[in-house]
Amino acid sequence: MNNFTRGGVTLLHADSSFIKELMQFCSTASGLHWPWVMVLDRESAPVTAPGSAPLCHYHIISGDKHTAWQQVLSGQTLREGIYCLKELSGFYSQFPELEVAGMCTHLSVPVILRDGTLYGSVNSVSKQNKQDSQVTVARLVSLAKIIARYAEELLVIEQLKEDNYQLALHSYTDSLTQLPNRRAIFDRLPALFSLAKRINRTVLISYIDLDEFKKINDDLGHDTGDALLKEIGQRLHHIVREEDIVGRIGGDEFLLACLGPEKEADQEFVIRTIKDRIHTTLRGQYTFGNLCLWYEGASAGVVCVSPENCSVDDAVKLADTAMYKEKKPGGRADGPPPG
């Protein structure tokens, strides 16, 4: 089996029907039989010199399912140099189907991008002998040029997609903690509410505010405060499931959200359990270089709401209000929320 992961392999393989049509067109009345394209993984194996291509990351595209002899011939081509007119008689014992079909010559032409990188090769076998096959190589050269331009367009499109993805990722990620930011949280919460409504479940919202955080910043410096926020984010991330929502609202405030219980009788127990887990997780010793800091933890307001009669905004406000009721004296500098 061929091993391929990313880069040009995935791109070309994703739309190989176009390449197959080109190969079919070039094989018509040209002396070429069963043409195929060998594509290297551009990211893991950028190659500019014939004969130096590693053979662990490549993919073969052919009109039909590729065969062992196509793989072997392509591999030898890459080892010996990409331009190839090779007599097939030496392979008859290993692959008798080539002799039965009357194939005499293996032809191979490189697919080279404009930056000089070897992208792969176009291959075929022919019933013509090695000398007479020179003319048919021109068909493969033309095909290789078309594939090269096509691959370059796909690579540009893929790079644009990657750039857009990274831009979106950046806009949805808190730069300090690497958790989802406020925008990401409020974009995901409606889906959680919709799911809970569909399966007749409640939603649990935990609004977390770090106690005495301003004092830590003032006494120990903002670098220590930032380090604490990062560690708090990691600890919170470790106590949630993959499908749960955890993120930084802003400043020293974090939010957790997940599906709640179906039965009303279970809600108080679950709320107490989540509060205890948050307090236990965040309270303790934090080490930042030579500094060891004992941190008493955070105030967490946890509410359980029904998606049938409570909106996302109202649920977050309820959790924020519940957090203020839990707040230790002196832990918050800006006072309680306006009534």
Side-chain angles (χ1 to χ4, degrees):
M1 291 292 291
N2 294 325
N3 182 13
F4 63 101
T5 52
R6 301 188 299 166
V9 168
T10 304
L11 288 170
L12 203 50
H13 181 59
D15 193 16
S16 58
S17 59
F18 172 73
I19 305 302
K20 290 178 181 178
E21 290 176 5
L22 279 176
M23 291 189 293
Q24 182 62 38
F25 174 77
C26 287
S27 65
T28 304
S30 65
L32 303 178
H33 296 269
W34 307 312
W36 72 93
V37 177
M38 183 183 193
V39 185
L40 295 170
D41 185 338
R42 180 172 164 84
E43 290 193 10
S44 66
V47 178
T48 55
S52 65
L55 303 182
C56 57
H57 293 278
Y58 63 87
H59 177 59
I60 291 177
I61 299 174
S62 61
D64 302 309
K65 185 177 180 180
H66 76 268
T67 61
W69 57 263
Q70 288 176 317
Q71 187 167 332
V72 169
L73 293 177
S74 297
Q76 287 217 352
T77 297
L78 289 175
R79 279 191 290 266
E80 297 172 4
I82 199 68
Y83 283 97
C84 178
L85 280 175
K86 181 186 292 292
E87 293 181 357
L88 290 177
S89 56
F91 293 91
Y92 287 164
S93 59
Q94 186 178 1
F95 302 111
E97 61 266 34
L98 291 174
E99 183 178 14
V100 171
M103 300 302 160
C104 298
T105 308
H106 169 224
L107 306 89
S108 181
V109 170
V111 177
I112 300 176
L113 305 184
R114 276 176 282 203
D115 64 2
T117 301
L118 175 63
Y119 194 79
S121 62
V122 182
N123 301 264
S124 181
V125 289
S126 174
K127 292 183 178 181
Q128 299 169 330
N129 59 38
K130 186 174 179 180
Q131 291 72 28
D132 295 337
S133 295
Q134 295 283 354
V135 177
T136 59
V137 172
R139 290 291 186 100
L140 287 184
V141 171
S142 298
L143 179 57
K145 289 180 179 178
I146 295 173
I147 292 175
R149 301 295 86 81
Y150 178 67
E152 285 171 340
E153 289 182 8
L154 290 178
L155 286 168
V156 170
I157 292 171
E158 189 68 13
Q159 184 60 55
L160 290 174
K161 289 181 179 178
E162 176 65 19
D163 292 345
N164 288 336
Y165 169 76
Q166 292 298 333
L167 183 62
L169 185 66
H170 178 73
S171 66
Y172 277 86
T173 303
D174 175 59
S175 59
L176 182 63
T177 65
Q178 298 305 305
L179 291 176
N181 58 17
R182 182 185 184 90
R183 177 182 177 185
I185 291 170
F186 280 89
D187 275 2
R188 290 183 60 190
L189 281 173
L192 178 64
F193 272 63
S194 296
L195 174 61
K197 185 176 181 179
R198 215 164 46 241
I199 62 176
N200 195 30
R201 296 277 291 276
T202 55
V203 176
L204 285 163
I205 304 287
S206 306
Y207 203 109
I208 302 166
D209 184 273
L210 306 188
D211 295 328
E212 301 290 345
F213 183 72
K214 183 177 185 302
K215 189 175 188 302
I216 292 174
N217 262 340
D218 292 343
D219 294 350
L220 302 177
H222 287 277
D223 287 345
T224 300
D226 287 349
L228 177 62
L229 288 171
K230 291 179 183 178
E231 179 64 23
I232 291 288
Q234 290 179 13
R235 294 190 182 194
L236 290 175
H237 179 72
H238 288 151
I239 65 171
V240 299
R241 299 164 299 186
E242 186 176 351
E243 64 269 23
D244 298 338
I245 296 173
V246 56
R248 183 185 178 199
I249 293 287
D252 60 348
E253 297 177 335
F254 295 80
L255 185 138
L256 307 182
C258 62
L259 290 173
E262 180 180 350
K263 296 180 180 179
E264 186 175 345
D266 297 332
Q267 294 179 13
E268 288 190 11
F269 172 76
V270 173
I271 288 175
R272 286 197 305 271
T273 301
I274 291 180
K275 279 186 182 180
D276 291 344
R277 185 179 300 172
I278 292 172
H279 291 149
T280 302
T281 299
L282 300 187
R283 183 176 184 269
Q285 182 170 296
Y286 292 75
T287 303
F288 310 121
N290 296 325
L291 173 66
C292 289
L293 169 68
W294 177 267
Y295 185 58
E296 285 295 335
S299 297
V302 184
V303 297
C304 187
V305 300
S306 168
E308 294 280 356
N309 49 38
C310 187
S311 68
V312 169
D313 290 339
D314 287 342
V316 174
K317 288 177 183 177
L318 287 173
D320 190 26
T321 300
M323 180 272 296
Y324 274 100
K325 294 179 180 179
E326 298 285 328
K327 195 71 183 170
K328 296 180 178 67
R332 192 179 181 98
D334 52 359

